[in-house]
Amino acid sequence: MRILLLGPPGGGKGTQSKLLVEKLNIPQISTGDILREHVKKQTDLGKKASNFMEKGELVPDKLILQMMGKRLLENDCLKGYILDGFPRTIPQAIGLDDLLIDLNQKLNKVIVLEVRDNDIVERMGGRRVHLASGRVYHIKFNPPKIEGMDDITKEKLVIRKDDQKDTVLKRLDIYHSTTKPLIDFYSKRNIVSNIDGSKDINAINENIIRNLTNV
Ligand code: AP5
């Protein structure tokens, strides 16, 4: 099964993807996580992307499509995948269509997580992440077992640089102007399910799973 999780920054895409990985046994492909890994390793792509990411702007489509063209060829993608954070522009969605034609695959479902902007700002203020694994916590809504530490590795959790309030507001603007039009783009294919992303994490997950049956 090939699923796309669409939603605002901080809308819970990463949180829900991690739960789906466990239940569906298919990989999460998060463009944000892949890019952060490139930035950490200071690769050519990482050097080009870091400036855009810190400012809360989108990395150019061409770079993202090159990166995803390689990622979707990897063996773990043969049984399906969860796309988290890609595509997020119309040119990226058209590029994904081209990649899927080459791979003789199709997207089965687009899950749209709906969360109000005010809730997003609160969520981002309390987010803590384990950068190496992409595991995500919230100091109030989804706290780690030991404060400030990743549950599995016990390594230190950090605040993402792009979680500053001004940057979050800019990312939200870009979501509304540039990414939200993808909902119409995919609605024409009758593969979109809108999910209330303001509920608690497990309730949202159950709702997503319900929407994936019969796909
Ligand atoms: P990326 O890492 O993809 O960021 P994003 O899309 O802005 O999404 P986030 O990771 O911030 O949030 P999320 O929806 O995963 O929410 P989460 O589960 O963490 O991208 C970062 C940057 O990389 C972009 O700005 C851009 O520069 C670049 N980039 C990436 N992809 C790109 C692309 N395709 N094209 C161009 N550029 C690209 O949850 C957030 C918080 O809320 C957490 O603390 C969590 O614990 C909490 N939470 C989750 N669910 C709930 C709930 N139901 N109730 C209460 N709290 C909750």
Side-chain angles (χ1 to χ4, degrees):
M1 192 184 306
R2 283 167 290 275
I3 307 163
L4 161 59
L5 281 190
L6 201 63
K13 303 181 296 295
T15 302
Q16 293 301 329
S17 296
K18 290 265 180 292
L19 294 173
L20 290 175
V21 166
E22 285 166 22
K23 289 190 179 154
L24 305 175
N25 200 25
I26 51 176
Q28 168 197 19
I29 302 180
S30 157
T31 39
D33 286 348
I34 301 173
L35 287 167
R36 278 184 287 278
E37 194 59 30
H38 277 277
V39 172
K40 197 169 126 197
K41 291 185 178 152
Q42 284 288 293
T43 64
D44 282 350
L45 171 58
K47 285 179 195 157
K48 287 178 191 153
S50 65
N51 203 22
F52 295 100
M53 294 173 77
E54 279 191 25
K55 287 193 283 185
E57 293 170 5
L58 294 181
V59 174
D61 292 333
K62 195 174 160 205
L63 296 178
I64 297 289
L65 285 166
Q66 280 169 356
M67 180 179 99
M68 288 302 287
K70 286 185 197 148
R71 180 64 186 92
L72 293 182
L73 282 178
E74 287 176 30
N75 276 344
D76 63 337
C77 292
L78 286 172
K79 55 187 177 178
Y81 40 80
I82 302 155
L83 294 175
D84 162 7
F86 168 85
R88 59 176 99 190
T89 66
I90 295 286
Q92 287 183 21
I94 294 168
L96 174 62
D97 279 346
D98 293 340
L99 288 172
L100 292 175
I101 289 170
D102 288 346
L103 293 166
N104 198 20
Q105 296 177 353
K106 74 179 185 115
L107 205 54
N108 304 103
K109 192 64 154 176
V110 176
I111 299 283
V112 179
L113 291 172
E114 297 175 322
V115 186
R116 290 179 320 144
D117 288 7
N118 284 347
D119 294 341
I120 295 294
V121 174
E122 186 185 3
R123 284 187 189 183
M124 302 296 238
R127 173 160 65 179
R128 300 292 181 268
V129 293
H130 180 243
L131 280 181
S133 66
R135 275 186 289 279
V136 182
Y137 302 86
H138 190 282
I139 50 172
K140 181 166 143 198
F141 304 123
N142 184 24
K145 290 180 185 134
I146 304 170
E147 194 183 325
M149 281 189 195
D150 178 50
D151 286 351
I152 297 185
T153 62
K154 309 287 180 237
E155 287 166 345
K156 213 170 159 227
L157 300 177
V158 298
I159 299 177
R160 265 170 50 177
K161 282 187 185 157
D162 59 351
D163 278 354
Q164 307 297 331
K165 189 168 176 194
D166 285 354
T167 315
V168 170
L169 293 176
K170 189 167 175 189
R171 287 161 65 198
L172 271 170
D173 270 352
I174 293 174
Y175 172 73
H176 288 297
S177 63
T178 310
T179 305
K180 239 177 151 180
L182 292 179
I183 300 174
D184 271 352
F185 180 91
Y186 287 115
S187 289
K188 292 178 187 131
R189 301 180 190 181
N190 284 325
I191 54 170
V192 173
S193 293
N194 293 296
I195 304 280
D196 180 355
S198 67
K199 296 205 162 31
D200 80 61
I201 291 171
N202 290 325
I204 296 169
N205 195 251
E206 280 164 21
N207 202 356
I208 293 176
I209 294 286
R210 260 198 305 279
N211 274 275
L212 293 177
T213 46
N214 304 322
V215 164

